[in-house]
Amino acid sequence: MIKQLSLFFVTFIFIICVYVFLLGENKTIEIIKDEYLYLLSLIPLGFIFLYFKFKLKDYELIDFNKNSNLSFQTTVILFVVFQVIDYIQKDGFIGMISQWFFYWIMGVIALFLMENINYLKNYVVIKKATK
């Protein structure tokens, strides 16, 4: 989880740098404001993640997500397909890159959901074992 979060942090810095360089500060702030509901959805997901992380810190956890890893090649192909679709639908390059922040938020949400589901499954297994 730490590696994924550091990767998301680095990509966030990269996206913001590209936005400020190509679009300017005002347009960058506008793009971030447009996605505020998705950003707010990270708050409860983060609290749930922290709750399970502290609740299960003394237990050995099973990784129920180990079989659901996508390959890097599949991820890149999906990203390229979505970029082509955005290029066509959003009127060119600027419209295409304006979607990067949205994809970044969806990636963080997906990461939190996968980790929370894994913690929940571990929590249920531990509760059954301790009864």
Side-chain angles (χ1 to χ4, degrees), residues 6-127:
S6 62
L7 178 64
F8 276 108
F9 182 72
V10 168
T11 56
F12 175 75
I13 301 281
F14 174 76
I15 289 169
I16 297 302
C17 289
V18 168
Y19 278 5
V20 170
F21 180 73
L22 291 177
L23 305 175
E25 186 177 326
N26 293 335
K27 180 71 173 169
T28 302
I29 293 171
E30 182 182 320
I31 289 172
I32 293 171
K33 280 183 183 177
D34 288 343
E35 308 299 338
Y36 76 95
L37 287 176
Y38 297 114
L39 287 170
L40 289 176
S41 71
L42 290 173
I43 294 170
L45 288 172
F47 282 131
I48 293 168
F49 175 77
L50 291 174
Y51 171 78
F52 281 129
K53 187 160 185 78
F54 289 119
K55 189 83 168 171
L56 301 173
K57 68 180 177 182
D58 297 329
Y59 297 99
E60 185 176 336
L61 302 177
I62 302 167
D63 186 11
F64 290 103
N65 295 329
K66 66 182 172 192
N67 294 330
S68 65
N69 291 336
L70 291 174
S71 69
F72 182 73
Q73 181 181 7
T74 304
T75 305
V76 169
I77 289 172
L78 283 172
F79 182 75
V80 169
V81 167
F82 283 118
Q83 290 303 293
V84 169
I85 291 169
D86 288 339
Y87 184 84
I88 294 167
Q89 287 186 344
K90 301 287 184 180
D91 298 327
F93 179 73
I94 299 299
M96 177 185 75
I97 66 167
S98 68
Q99 294 296 105
W100 288 356
F101 187 66
F102 173 73
Y103 292 145
W104 180 83
I105 293 171
M106 290 299 127
V108 174
I109 288 173
L111 180 64
F112 269 132
L113 284 174
M114 287 176 51
E115 290 298 319
N116 287 342
I117 290 169
N118 189 53
Y119 277 133
L120 179 63
K121 287 180 179 180
N122 277 288
Y123 184 76
V124 169
V125 168
I126 291 168
K127 279 292 188 186

